Amino acid sequence: MVTIVSSKNSHTYSHRKKEQLWKICDNLADKNGFRRNVYWVSGEFYRGYWRHNRREGVGIHIYRNGNRYEGEWKNGRREGQGIFWIVDGGKYRSVYRGSWKNGLWHGQGLLYGDYGEMYEGFFKNGKRCGVGKQTYWCPLSKSFHVYIGEWLDDKREGIGTLKMSNGHIYEGSFVKDLKEGKGVFYYVDKCSKYEGLWRADIPICGMYSKIHNDTHLRALEVQNSKILAENIIEEAIQKNQIQFHKCHNFDDKQEVENQG
């Protein structure tokens, strides 16, 4: 019974709430324990365990588009350990396997990409978050870049190492998927490295040197000279709590390649 109170007078009106027939029958069923192939009007179906009319325990759910979840449930949602499959070219392909919470990837798991890429690490609310390893397919070299480090909201954030398919390596700080802050870039083909500050994937100020030679080359002014304004440098140095000699303009400038 639903009671409606009018704000204009004290009269009370009542009416019986209408329910769809399938909902009434579903409530009367009071599903508990194992049930085979419980169907939805949308065409989806579930085979597994129930508790008080909600999926709870281990079960398999086939969605309307053919995608499939196999694993644990709690209070009608995917929660615990499970595997999610999608239909790809008429075959099932695993997209994610690992821990779930409230229907989302949460905790430790494996995420698979379309071209063999893989992320192995931690998730939070359906996004990569924490420490993890991600491989990226490079169609030009037909091999993978590899990143190992920290994540936040599905982006590289914090300290990590990125090894590119050509052998070059960056070790340092990332912000929103870009190299930012203090970092070292190793040029394997030139046996050299750049160590210094980065902003938005661009080297700002630092030292370029040979890996097998202790003699450092001149401090470099790189990319667009406008970004070497003193206030930007000072801000970056303070943010990273490190000290570098201030960059000066040189007649013989050498540009650092912006790889990755």
Side-chain angles (χ1 to χ4, degrees):
M1 238 9 130
V2 177
T3 302
I4 303 176
V5 180
S6 174
S7 60
K8 295 182 179 180
N9 53 58
S10 59
H11 293 290
T12 302
Y13 301 90
S14 303
H15 73 276
R16 184 177 300 278
K17 184 180 179 181
K18 294 182 179 180
E19 288 187 289
Q20 292 177 313
L21 180 60
W22 74 268
K23 288 185 178 180
I24 296 174
C25 295
D26 188 58
N27 290 331
L28 291 175
D30 192 24
K31 296 182 288 296
N32 284 285
F34 180 79
R35 294 291 183 96
R36 287 182 176 272
N37 297 353
V38 177
Y39 288 86
W40 276 251
V41 292
S42 62
E44 300 180 11
F45 70 90
Y46 171 81
R47 176 185 297 176
Y49 287 87
W50 297 77
R51 184 173 183 269
H52 299 322
N53 255 9
R54 293 182 179 272
R55 290 162 291 179
E56 184 135 350
V58 178
I60 301 173
H61 191 105
I62 307 297
Y63 295 89
R64 186 177 181 178
N65 58 6
N67 294 345
R68 174 188 185 109
Y69 171 79
E70 301 179 13
E72 297 176 303
W73 298 78
K74 184 176 181 181
N75 199 28
R77 294 185 175 184
R78 295 169 294 196
E79 186 149 333
Q81 295 296 310
I83 307 174
F84 189 77
W85 308 75
I86 64 170
V87 179
D88 186 5
K91 298 180 180 180
Y92 276 115
R93 177 171 65 84
S94 176
V95 172
Y96 175 82
R97 62 175 64 214
S99 182
W100 298 71
K101 186 176 181 180
N102 291 327
L104 300 173
W105 311 328
H106 192 93
Q108 193 167 3
L110 293 168
L111 180 65
Y112 302 96
D114 295 337
Y115 301 100
E117 308 98 325
M118 184 180 73
Y119 171 81
E120 181 179 3
F122 289 87
F123 296 82
K124 184 177 181 181
N125 297 327
K127 296 181 179 180
R128 290 166 291 183
C129 190
V131 178
K133 175 183 177 181
Q134 174 73 61
T135 59
Y136 306 89
W137 173 247
C138 178
L140 295 177
S141 63
K142 298 188 183 302
S143 57
F144 291 93
H145 307 307
V146 181
Y147 171 79
I148 302 175
E150 297 176 305
W151 295 79
L152 180 66
D153 289 335
D154 243 5
K155 296 182 182 296
R156 294 173 298 204
E157 182 97 10
I159 303 302
T161 300
L162 177 63
K163 181 177 181 180
M164 280 146 280
S165 59
N166 59 9
H168 297 337
I169 299 172
Y170 171 80
E171 295 180 347
S173 178
F174 288 84
V175 175
K176 295 182 179 180
D177 252 355
L178 302 177
K179 297 185 280 289
E180 180 94 10
K182 185 181 179 181
V184 183
F185 198 101
Y186 296 92
Y187 302 89
V188 176
D189 56 342
K190 298 179 181 179
C191 293
S192 59
K193 68 178 181 178
Y194 165 82
E195 182 173 5
L197 298 177
W198 298 74
R199 173 162 292 183
D201 254 2
I202 297 174
I204 301 297
C205 180
M207 301 294 293
Y208 183 84
S209 63
K210 292 293 184 181
I211 294 177
H212 301 296
N213 192 333
D214 293 332
T215 304
H216 290 281
L217 304 181
R218 290 178 174 181
L220 305 177
E221 181 180 352
V222 294
Q223 302 295 333
N224 190 337
S225 61
K226 293 181 181 179
I227 62 177
L228 286 174
E230 187 168 336
N231 59 335
I232 295 179
I233 299 299
E234 293 297 335
E235 176 189 344
I237 292 174
Q238 292 175 7
K239 179 180 176 182
N240 291 274
Q241 297 181 341
I242 55 175
Q243 293 185 354
F244 280 89
H245 296 294
K246 291 183 180 179
C247 293
H248 301 283
N249 292 331
F250 294 102
D251 295 331
D252 182 21
K253 297 174 182 148
Q254 184 173 356
E255 183 174 315
V256 175
E257 298 174 10
N258 182 20
Q259 299 286 344

